[in-house]
Amino acid sequence: MKRLTLAAIALALPVAASAAPETYIVDPIHSFANFSVDHIGYSTLFGRFNRSSGKFIIDAQAKTASVEMTVDAASVDTGDHDRGSRARTRDEHLRSADFFNVAEFPAMTFKSTAVKFSGDSPTEIEGQFTMLGAAKPLTLRLERWKCGAHPFNKKQMCGGNATGMLRRTDYGMKYAMPAISDEVKLNISFEAYRQ
């Protein structure tokens, strides 16, 4: 009987080990916070932040997870880098106090408060997003989620796309309202390696 019990414990160990929470560190080279806004009713303006960092901890069997992410506000990039005859580029204007005010608020952060699952996969992340010193609830929906071995370096990784929406005036960003829309759509693409 004692041998059977020991054998059962030995067989259960790999399962218990795989059920432990796993930490993943965001790969900054393949992860970007993208956004889009309506521009004066004529077009949609797209942009992204080129520098971000973060991590998530996930236990697929227990269906628990947590997410933390930091975005460098000064890395905002809408593709307008050449001043020409203008006093400043659009991206320089976005870094000013009219918009992201990067001198006073260099980072934006997101910290999860709850994660919903469907089966073994997370589907929705509720959290607090802090921008311009204001923290407000933000929900991100995972449109894509995949885990497995990287095809080249064989390291274990997870990645996907998350979407959401915020109103910039909730954070005190009121410049050019309503010509530039209050609603900002988010699309976050990410890849992360298991530690």
Side-chain angles (χ1 to χ4, degrees), residues 28 31-35 47-54 69-77 91 94-95 100-110 129-132:
S31 303
F32 299 97
N34 304 280
F35 64 90
R48 76 176 193 182
F49 295 89
N50 290 328
R51 292 187 296 274
S52 60
S53 61
M69 190 163 186
T70 300
V71 176
D72 179 356
S75 71
V76 64
D77 187 348
D91 290 346
L94 288 172
R95 295 182 189 107
F100 291 103
N101 194 6
V102 302
E104 189 173 350
F105 303 102
M108 299 176 288
T109 61
F110 177 80
F129 178 64
T130 302
M131 180 173 71
L132 297 172

Side-chain angles (χ1 to χ4, degrees), residues 54-65:
K55 70 175 182 178
F56 57 87
I57 301 169
I58 185 167
D59 186 332
Q61 289 193 358
K63 294 178 175 48
T64 59

Side-chain angles (χ1 to χ4, degrees), residues 70-113:
T70 300
V71 176
D72 179 356
S75 71
V76 64
D77 187 348
T78 62
D80 184 14
H81 308 291
D82 184 8
R83 287 185 187 176
S85 61
R86 299 171 297 165
R88 60 187 174 187
T89 67
R90 178 174 55 238
D91 290 346
E92 288 171 334
H93 189 193
L94 288 172
R95 295 182 189 107
S96 77
D98 287 339
F99 290 99
F100 291 103
N101 194 6
V102 302
E104 189 173 350
F105 303 102
M108 299 176 288
T109 61
F110 177 80
K111 188 170 184 178
S112 65
T113 54

